[in-house]
Amino acid sequence: MSRIGKKPVPLPKGVTAAVQDRTVIITGPKGELVRTIHADLTAAIEDNAVVVRRPSDQSRHKALHGLTRTLIANMVDGVTKGFVKQLEIQGVGYKAEVKPFGVQLTVGLSHPVQYHAPKGIKISVDNNVLVKIEGIDKELVGQVTAELRNVRPPEPYKGKGIRYVGEQVRRKAGKTAQAATK
């Protein structure tokens, strides 16, 4: 058995789950998430927990077993607590502004970049440089954060750009440092 896959996903108070064919529906205080699981796997609700089973011990089934269980656990966490990721913007004149459609980034390009947030994502900005992305779907929160970071990834010479909070950017020496070593 997969060590992760064989663990049942407990449902906290206030969270309900339903399994219809291959679709798992998790409903909680923050909303509802729906996911279709792989055709080879089965999910069931037993003793107020979601249990995932696989048909054989093939390595492919073992991998899918653990993955599916983790995806369902993330759904349960999302509808109870939600997920948050943060980005920080560094650079002179670089800033972010919340707009009705999402966020507008001014990051040294010839034009401001408008990012339209998908449904279910809340974007907030603190001090024009700290962007906070919140939502109940872990996958979607991570995808939006990665797309915003890709607008202007941090560059290695001055460190300007958009980075995850706490991300260490590897810095390079510029041309002056090279000339001094010759």
Side-chain angles (χ1 to χ4, degrees):
M1 291 290 277
S2 164
R3 291 183 188 178
I4 294 171
K6 69 181 176 183
K7 291 182 187 175
V9 179
L11 298 173
K13 198 171 200 169
V15 175
T16 58
V19 178
Q20 300 166 351
D21 296 328
R22 296 181 307 126
T23 305
V24 178
I25 304 164
I26 307 286
T27 309
K30 291 202 175 238
E32 178 179 273
L33 290 172
V34 179
R35 179 174 290 277
T36 303
I37 62 173
H38 195 272
D40 292 348
L41 301 176
T42 58
I45 299 167
E46 299 173 2
D47 301 329
N48 202 30
V50 179
V51 179
V52 180
R53 292 197 177 83
R54 67 174 187 248
S56 71
D57 282 341
Q58 292 178 3
S59 63
R60 190 176 107 238
H61 287 154
K62 286 182 181 180
L64 286 170
H65 191 208
L67 171 72
T68 305
R69 188 261 178 212
T70 301
L71 291 173
I72 293 171
N74 286 342
M75 290 168 65
V76 171
D77 284 349
V79 297
T80 54
K81 297 179 262 183
F83 295 100
V84 177
K85 285 204 175 208
Q86 292 183 331
L87 293 169
E88 62 181 333
I89 300 173
Q90 289 188 351
V92 176
Y94 287 18
K95 65 179 182 173
E97 296 176 68
V98 175
K99 298 287 183 180
F101 55 80
V103 68
Q104 180 172 308
L105 302 167
T106 305
V107 287
L109 301 174
S110 62
H111 59 284
V113 177
Q114 296 180 346
Y115 183 83
H116 295 270
K119 187 179 175 194
I121 294 294
K122 180 179 174 251
I123 299 176
S124 58
V125 178
D126 294 335
N127 297 334
N128 289 336
V129 293
L130 194 65
V131 181
K132 190 175 182 182
I133 297 102
E134 300 175 80
I136 61 173
D137 188 351
K138 186 175 187 177
E139 229 175 294
L140 191 57
V141 169
Q143 182 65 37
V144 168
T145 307
E147 287 172 1
L148 285 172
R149 183 182 180 277
N150 275 346
V151 169
R152 187 71 156 197
E155 54 99 10
Y157 297 102
K158 292 184 179 178
K160 298 189 311 183
I162 302 172
R163 65 179 77 187
Y164 297 108
V165 169
E167 178 183 2
Q168 297 292 319
V169 176
R170 198 160 170 194
R171 302 292 293 270
K172 291 182 179 178
K175 290 181 182 177
T176 56
Q178 276 184 338
T181 59
K182 287 186 179 179

